[in-house]
Amino acid sequence: MTSTAHTQVVQKQFGEQASAYLSSAVHAQGTEFALLQAELAGQGAARLLDLGCGAGHVSFHVARLVTEVVAYDLSQQMLDVVTAAAVDRGLSNVSTVLGAAERLPFADGEFDFVFSRYSAHHWSDLGLALREVRRVLKPGGVAAFVDVLSPGSPLLDTYLQTVEVLRDTSHVRDYSAGEWMRQISEAGLHVRNSSRQRLRLEYTSWVERMRTPPVLRAAILALQQAMGQEVRDYFEVEADGSFSTDVLVVWAER
């Protein structure tokens, strides 16, 4: 699939349900928000890029701590949701820009911080996007990436990627910790630290948020039941399809 074709898939997938992501508990809540906010203590003059902003939850959590937030996404419908919600919240320092993570329309060294949450698994080229992050960061600038983590084991990885793409055809890949560290380093960034979290996904809201077609919903449930006990135990799969997965939080510096 060409990058242009993938862009069209992403725009279609998320444009049709942009408002659902604003009210999604998975996206609106998370312990990582406190980590992101803590990083910005005393950084009131900073400019921050919310990369792959979705419905803008990162932007809204950090806007009052910095001078400016640029919410950046590939879906104009998502950006429209961000604009309206920022007005509702009285956040006049949040602006929006449309584009892909692999081609950031910003000058070198334009941002003090780049934060990205639950977006990287949609990027067509993680390495290129990370190089763009380095380029737009000031020397000494900080990047934070929060995303679903592949367990690394081939068996568990194959299962995770399969249910992800069945649910959402714009999914590219959940990367392992090792893949993240290598790609960040190759992009010229220095990994400062990382941590892991566990995320519980309630099946019905998970598939309804993406409007997954019935045939693919049934395939996910069938696959879950067909997998061995090792897979079901690791992901804590329940009879209704709900499950848990790992999340990686990585801090990097230019």
Side-chain angles (χ1 to χ4, degrees), residues 111-114 137-143 189-190 192 252-254:
F111 295 97
D112 301 281
F113 296 92
V114 176
L137 273 174
K138 294 179 180 178
V142 175
L189 295 166
H190 168 69
R192 190 175 75 190
E253 298 176 350
R254 176 177 173 183

Side-chain angles (χ1 to χ4, degrees), residues 154-160 162-163 220-233 235 237:
L155 173 63
L156 301 176
D157 177 81
T158 297
Y159 165 80
L160 177 62
T162 302
V163 295
I220 293 171
L221 294 174
L223 177 64
Q224 288 179 332
Q225 295 308 309
M227 297 302 297
Q229 194 63 42
E230 176 184 359
V231 173
R232 293 200 298 272
D233 286 348
F235 290 101
V237 176

Side-chain angles (χ1 to χ4, degrees), residues 94-124:
V94 175
S95 61
T96 62
V97 176
L98 177 71
E102 297 85 1
R103 298 178 300 279
L104 299 181
F106 307 110
D108 296 357
E110 190 168 335
F111 295 97
D112 301 281
F113 296 92
V114 176
F115 289 173
S116 184
R117 179 176 180 261
Y118 295 135
S119 176
H121 59 271
H122 295 292
W123 301 346
S124 60

Side-chain angles (χ1 to χ4, degrees), residues 1 5 13 38-39 45 60 125 128 142 146 190 199 221 224 235:
M1 180 183 294
Q13 285 289 91
E39 182 69 22
F60 304 147
D125 190 327
L128 179 55
V142 175
V146 180
H190 168 69
L199 177 67
L221 294 174
Q224 288 179 332
F235 290 101

